[in-house]
Amino acid sequence: MEYLLVIIFLLLLLVIFCLANKIVADRDKFKSKLRLLNELMKDLNSQQELQNSQVSISNQLKERLNQVVDDLNKEIFDLNYQFFEENFPKKT
């Protein structure tokens, strides 16, 4: 009977040792996956910052383009007005 208890005790110690090793291995796998996830997040953040700067530049270009279009429209209107004044004098 004592031998049976000793064998069960040793088996339980072996199971505990195996489970402890598995926990350590799982923890190492988790840390490596977490490290990869952190690197991915850093890459995504840098890409997002780049895209934000591109959007900012795009918005600035859009505003500048609108301003140029407005200026051109005004100049075209003024030129048309001058053209009509020169070619069609007022009858008074």
Side-chain angles (χ1 to χ4, degrees):
M1 182 71 175
E2 291 176 10
Y3 292 116
L4 182 62
L5 289 176
V6 170
I7 291 173
I8 292 175
F9 178 73
L10 291 176
L11 285 175
L12 289 175
L13 282 178
L14 182 64
V15 168
I16 291 171
F17 179 75
C18 291
L19 290 176
N21 281 340
K22 185 173 180 344
I23 288 172
V24 170
D26 288 345
R27 187 178 298 145
D28 290 340
K29 286 180 187 177
F30 177 75
K31 284 182 182 179
S32 67
K33 288 181 181 180
L34 190 60
R35 200 173 306 117
L36 289 174
L37 184 61
N38 282 333
E39 290 174 9
L40 178 64
M41 287 178 59
K42 287 178 185 177
D43 289 342
L44 289 175
N45 283 337
S46 64
Q47 288 177 4
Q48 182 182 14
E49 289 174 5
L50 178 65
Q51 288 177 351
N52 285 342
S53 66
Q54 288 174 345
V55 166
S56 174
I57 291 171
S58 176
N59 287 338
Q60 291 172 355
L61 289 174
K62 185 177 178 181
E63 290 173 7
R64 178 69 180 135
L65 180 64
N66 286 336
Q67 182 182 2
V68 168
V69 166
D70 289 342
D71 292 343
L72 281 174
N73 285 336
K74 185 179 182 304
E75 288 180 21
I76 290 171
F77 177 79
D78 290 342
L79 286 172
N80 280 331
Y81 189 79
Q82 287 177 1
F83 172 75
F84 280 114
E85 281 187 340
E86 290 174 5
N87 290 323
F88 303 106
K90 284 186 175 179
K91 297 180 185 177
T92 51

